[in-house]
Amino acid sequence: MVNGYQVDEKFMEKAIGLARKAADRGEVPVGAVLVQGGQVVSEAHNRREELGDATAHAEMLVIRKACALFGSWRLHDCTLYVTLEPCPMCAGAMVQARIERLVYGTSDPKGGAAGTLYDLVRDSRLNHRLQVTGGVLEAECASVLQNFFRQRRK
């Protein structure tokens, strides 16, 4: 039987592939995968530049797709895998969608809202809290971002 960390790595690898796809398109390389019952429900990468939409973060896109698929705004029993710790907007959307668990790759010291700068997803004052696992394939997730910004500065 595969242990939980191996499952997390499997889905994070998929998110990393999506992040690389975003980088190839000139988007900040963040990929996200929403999983329920061991099956991918939706996946996306950042598309802010392509769509001209400040809210087109990978997490927001997977949440929208899943809500449309399920015909509900409640995403119970889902885990969201994302390569970069979510920002306040995305963390708030996860709380609102009632996502059960968040797994992220690398922390975001400038905007992370899952424990680094803020902790919206576990704030006891809110009506829902998520389980959080950070640091899954952290080096690989950070490398994709670092390489993207290194290339942009050239």
Side-chain angles (χ1 to χ4, degrees):
M1 182 167 173
V2 178
N3 73 34
Y5 195 78
Q6 289 172 320
V7 170
D8 287 349
E9 285 183 342
K10 171 185 146 183
F11 290 116
M12 189 60 72
E13 285 172 359
K14 187 163 191 60
I16 291 168
L18 292 162
R20 288 189 175 111
K21 188 175 180 181
D24 291 343
R25 295 177 174 203
E27 299 279 355
V28 173
V30 176
V33 177
L34 190 73
V35 174
Q36 184 184 58
Q39 300 296 313
V40 173
V41 172
S42 63
E43 59 185 51
H45 57 74
N46 275 0
R47 295 179 64 198
R48 290 189 312 169
E49 299 299 330
E50 176 186 343
L51 299 176
D53 180 351
T55 69
H57 290 198
E59 302 96 319
M60 299 296 286
L61 297 172
V62 296
I63 289 170
R64 286 182 195 139
K65 287 179 187 178
C67 289
L69 179 69
F70 292 145
S72 174
W73 58 269
R74 292 176 184 90
L75 300 178
H76 295 294
D77 303 320
C78 288
T79 298
L80 196 150
Y81 292 86
V82 63
T83 56
L84 178 65
E85 180 183 4
C87 72
M89 173 183 69
C90 295
M94 290 176 208
V95 170
Q96 292 300 314
R98 309 299 193 263
I99 291 171
E100 182 178 326
R101 184 167 176 248
L102 164 67
V103 179
Y104 69 86
T106 191
S107 299
D108 184 355
K110 294 183 179 181
T116 300
L117 191 59
Y118 307 103
D119 201 356
L120 285 175
V121 296
R122 291 181 288 207
D123 191 321
S124 63
R125 296 169 295 179
L126 299 176
N127 62 342
H128 177 75
R129 285 165 293 291
L130 285 74
Q131 299 168 30
V132 178
T133 302
V136 174
L137 300 181
E138 182 174 14
E140 292 90 334
C141 292
S143 176
V144 172
L145 284 158
Q146 291 163 350
N147 291 339
F148 175 79
F149 286 112
R150 189 175 301 120
Q151 288 298 112
R152 300 247 334 199
R153 285 190 290 271
K154 284 186 179 182

